[in-house]
Amino acid sequence: MRRRALLITLGLGLAVGGAALAQGQSNQDAYQLPEPNVTSAQVLRLPRDSSCGHITRATVRFLPPPGAVFGVLRVTAHGREVARLTGIPRAASATIALTGSRTTVRVSGTTLGGQEVSATRVYRRCAPSKPKPQRTPPTPVQVGGGEDG
């Protein structure tokens, strides 16, 4: 049993190490490629902002094209910085809490070449639905039990 656990652990370690090595190589390539033109719509993904939602968290996704390395990416909610990512050569994400009845989420970033991207979404929480009034059963009719006088 111990031998099996050791083999599984070793296998997982090799898989994680290989993934880290592959990511390290893609980092070098991203810095060596010429920087392409980028747009906010191409790079930033925010959840839909329907008229109101029941979600309590939002995940901001960041998808730069090869060669576009971002020096900084800021995410703010309620006017305060809630996430700051630096030196981003590939896909990343940040999940933030949506508190209160209305949350304004702003994302902005700058590439190493000076290009800027930004997006803003306002998320509104739906008012809690009112509980349905419970029906009280009708009182039963009582027959008899009294004296006529």
Side-chain angles (χ1 to χ4, degrees):
M1 189 64 150
R2 286 184 188 180
R3 180 178 252 178
R4 179 187 256 175
L6 181 62
L7 288 174
I8 291 172
T9 304
L10 183 61
L12 288 174
L14 289 173
V16 170
L21 181 62
Q23 287 177 353
Q25 290 173 351
S26 67
N27 281 350
Q28 292 173 352
D29 294 341
Y31 285 97
Q32 293 173 2
L33 294 172
E35 183 175 293
N37 290 330
V38 295
T39 64
S40 299
Q42 174 189 20
V43 175
L44 303 174
R45 301 282 189 274
L46 284 85
R48 276 203 158 118
D49 57 340
S50 62
S51 60
C52 73
H54 297 285
I55 60 173
T56 58
R57 290 180 283 166
T59 299
V60 176
R61 299 198 190 287
F62 179 69
L63 306 163
V69 178
F70 278 75
V72 67
L73 179 70
R74 290 182 183 89
V75 181
T76 63
H78 297 294
R80 287 199 247 156
E81 189 174 88
V82 293
R84 172 183 261 179
L85 307 168
T86 58
I88 308 163
R90 63 182 174 279
S93 65
T95 300
I96 59 169
L98 302 176
T99 58
S101 61
R102 182 181 171 113
T103 303
T104 300
V105 175
R106 287 188 175 88
V107 182
S108 62
T110 306
T111 67
L112 295 180
Q115 297 181 71
E116 295 181 2
V117 295
S118 65
T120 302
R121 290 268 167 89
V122 177
Y123 298 97
R124 203 183 71 179
R125 302 263 320 258
C126 296
S129 59
K130 295 180 182 178
K132 294 181 181 178
Q134 291 186 352
R135 294 180 138 188
T136 55
T139 55
V141 178
Q142 292 187 358
V143 179
E147 291 186 27
D148 288 337

